[in-house]
Amino acid sequence: METNVFTAASHGFVPKNSKQVLKEIFGFSGFRGLQEAIINHVIAGRNAVVLMPTGGGKSLCYQIPAIVRPGTGIVVSPLIALMKDQVEALRESGVNAAFLNSSLDYKESRLIEEDLRNGRLDLLYVAPERVMTEWFQDLLSQIDISIFAIDEAHCVSQWGHNFRPEYAELYVLAKRFPEVPLIALTATADGPTRNDIFDRLSLRNAELFISGFDRPNITYRVQEKNDPKSQLLSFIQQEHSHDAGIIYCQTRNRVEEIAEWLAKSGVKALPYHAGLDAKVRERNQTRFIREEKIVMVATIAFGMGIDKPNVRFVAHLDIPRTLEGYYQETGRAGRDGLPSTAMLLYGLSDVIETQSRIKSSELDDRQKRIELQKFQALLGYCESVLCRRSIVLSYFGENPPSSCNNCDNCITPPISWNGTVAAQKALSAVYRTSETFGVGYLIDILTGKLTPRVKDWHHDQLKTFGVGKEFNKAEWHAIFRQLIAGGYLSVDVEGHGSLKLNKESMAILKGEKEISLRRIEKKASPKERKPESSQKAFADEVEEELFEALRERRLALAREANVPPYIIFHDSTLLEMAHSKPTSLSQMNRIPGVGARKLERYGQIFLDLIAEFGA
Ligand code: ADP
Ligand code: ZN
């Protein structure tokens, strides 16, 4: 294309097409998935709606067209922290980018306005409420605009979970500037939300690009919760001792408790929840982003807009409510494409408490049913013996292969056993005690434990008393959990967690239905617990040490420049340096993630360090 202009030409290179921009500026040698198709589509001047999972590479889909096409790309983004991050990263790569939002004072805004008027910007990030002001609309009509990009586009929809009223006004852009291509991007859009994006932004002629939602580099794992603290600690120590990660807990108290306990155990852990002082929250978030190896213990208040690419694990200590929510939260791991882990600890009390909470909530009956169904899908995921990834992706309407080789069920296939007789024993214990007791008491009956309470009720006289001695307490717990999760027993909310029979249980009691249960988990030895796929592949110790040294140097440079380390280089880039040990600038230039500007700035520094390691 003859008309292509690259305004960052002052840096000595003038890329002409999207491939060159990808290599010269971003340092990547090839596009991922649908990126190339989307970028070409937008460069050609057409509108697009893009659905891509977190970490899929949405940013380049609008950044490259904005750079390649003449004029400034206007990016609407709802999160101030994210804008700042993106702009810092772009500048570091030599792109003229800026943002306009409420964090700037009048003078700073004026300077940016001037740059904009003079065509000095490749990209301008703007908060949605700014875009709609008369001042900004006026400004837009006086400048050359290369593209409009609307990030987090699900915010236009009232169906979505983050409706932002200002987003509903953005249709004006397509109306006023029909000649400027508009690209709307999101990671979360179900059918109704997707249609809303088209309708509300007046994008009827836009093309829809949908990427698969798979995140192949994340290892999915569900573990029975028996001693959550020590399970968590050994998980971190054995698999992620050098890594940053996020641990999600249900309540503020639990966040504090776990963060404190981890800190005492030598992990660099910080708490984050809505109850903390805003300053503390901000400080902890900044440390998470700017430092290495920080573990954030948080409620789900944390995570939106956190773009840290090297979060190596996301662990859930309490069960989430929906599979959608769970998948989105785990998607914050491994945006850089390196192996990462999503671990969920899950136990009987999670099931009972969550079901009770939904049933006794303020929701109307229809909503309760929907919530319970959604939770049921998550339970299905937890209890299944099938590939975890295939369950999630099927849930999202995809057609995945039946095995992924990167989830616990694929790596160590669980054994299932015929649990019909055990289930009948459990259910008849419920029946004979008139459906008025909770799991603990029922297990006492089954295992024949003569407690004072059992004596009071004369339940030692029951036929079921002591019929289940072949299993211990923990094993019965697992059986009850699976019966409840499978819908064979109902939790009675008014009865404080007492269990009730239902239609499904009657079918089993009458022998009309068989039930298959998951093998009862024995405590795995540390070796077993270490799936290789979640480990970084170092050829030898030197390589590992070199990687750590490169990370340290990067951190020092980041501190000097006052930017997050990943803005200088991603882990994947450092890993490749440690692996291929370049000895010249031209070799360095071939490492993915080393663009022209970064080569000039940091190439020699890192080459020297590699040389010290005797490459
Ligand atoms: P999203 O916005 O979809 O969550 P990003 O745009 O932040 O994802 O990209 C995720 C990560 O993938 C970033 O670290 C980015 O540098 C990297 N990335 C994107 N496209 C490519 C590519 N073509 N080659 C290599 N890395 C890429
Ligand atoms: Zn699998």
Side-chain angles (χ1 to χ4, degrees), residues 505-522:
S505 15
M506 295 322 286
I508 290 185
L509 275 174
K510 287 190 204 147
E512 293 165 4
K513 196 170 173 182
E514 301 253 299
I515 178 171
S516 157
L517 297 176
R518 207 186 150 95
R519 180 201 57 169
I520 295 159
E521 255 178 66
K522 297 204 181 52

Side-chain angles (χ1 to χ4, degrees), residues 22 28 30-32 35 53-60 307 309 335-336 570:
L22 182 73
F28 299 134
F31 287 108
R32 273 191 194 160
Q35 276 177 337
T54 310
K58 283 186 287 300
S59 321
L60 290 185
D307 222 3
R335 278 167 189 259
D336 54 10
H570 277 187

Side-chain angles (χ1 to χ4, degrees), residues 247-259 271-275 297-301 317-319 353 357:
I247 296 165
Y248 283 114
C249 304
Q250 194 81 249
T251 63
R252 297 172 183 185
N253 284 342
R254 196 146 157 81
V255 164
E256 305 244 345
E257 179 198 337
I258 299 289
Y272 189 102
H273 60 71
V297 187
T299 58
I300 52 169
L317 280 202
D318 299 304
I319 201 164
E353 278 165 25
R357 213 173 301 135

Side-chain angles (χ1 to χ4, degrees), residues 386-390 402-411:
L386 304 176
C387 168
R388 308 268 183 212
R389 198 178 308 275
S390 75
S402 61
S403 168
C404 73
N405 294 322
N406 196 17
C407 73
D408 53 353
N409 283 351
C410 285
I411 295 167

Side-chain angles (χ1 to χ4, degrees), residues 92-164:
E92 194 61 42
S93 298
V95 179
N96 292 323
F99 61 78
L100 267 181
N101 61 37
S102 56
S103 74
L104 300 181
D105 62 26
Y106 178 74
K107 222 173 108 199
E108 290 167 317
S109 298
R110 282 308 297 261
L111 283 176
I112 289 165
E113 183 184 338
E114 230 178 272
D115 279 348
L116 190 60
R117 282 185 192 281
N118 294 323
R120 280 198 291 259
L121 293 177
D122 298 311
L123 275 144
L124 178 71
Y125 286 73
V126 203
E129 59 276 6
R130 284 277 157 123
V131 177
M132 297 321 300
T133 59
E134 221 169 285
W135 164 76
F136 193 74
Q137 288 290 319
D138 205 41
L139 192 57
L140 283 182
S141 63
Q142 298 168 40
I143 60 166
D144 283 337
I145 307 166
S146 56
I147 61 151
F148 287 114
I150 299 186
D151 205 5
E152 313 286 349
H154 56 274
C155 295
V156 307
S157 172
Q158 278 174 337
W159 293 102
H161 47 284
N162 295 108
F163 177 58
R164 299 269 300 238

Side-chain angles (χ1 to χ4, degrees), residues 2 83 94 109 111 133 172-174 187 237 255 287 296 385 405 448 451-452 465 469 489 507 523 536 539 574 598:
E2 286 306 300
M83 279 188 212
S109 298
L111 283 176
T133 59
V172 170
L173 298 177
Q237 287 175 337
V255 164
R287 283 192 59 192
M296 192 66 117
V385 295
N405 294 322
T451 64
F465 186 75
K469 287 186 175 154
L489 271 174
K523 269 201 166 172
K536 286 178 216 90
L574 297 188
K598 291 191 180 178

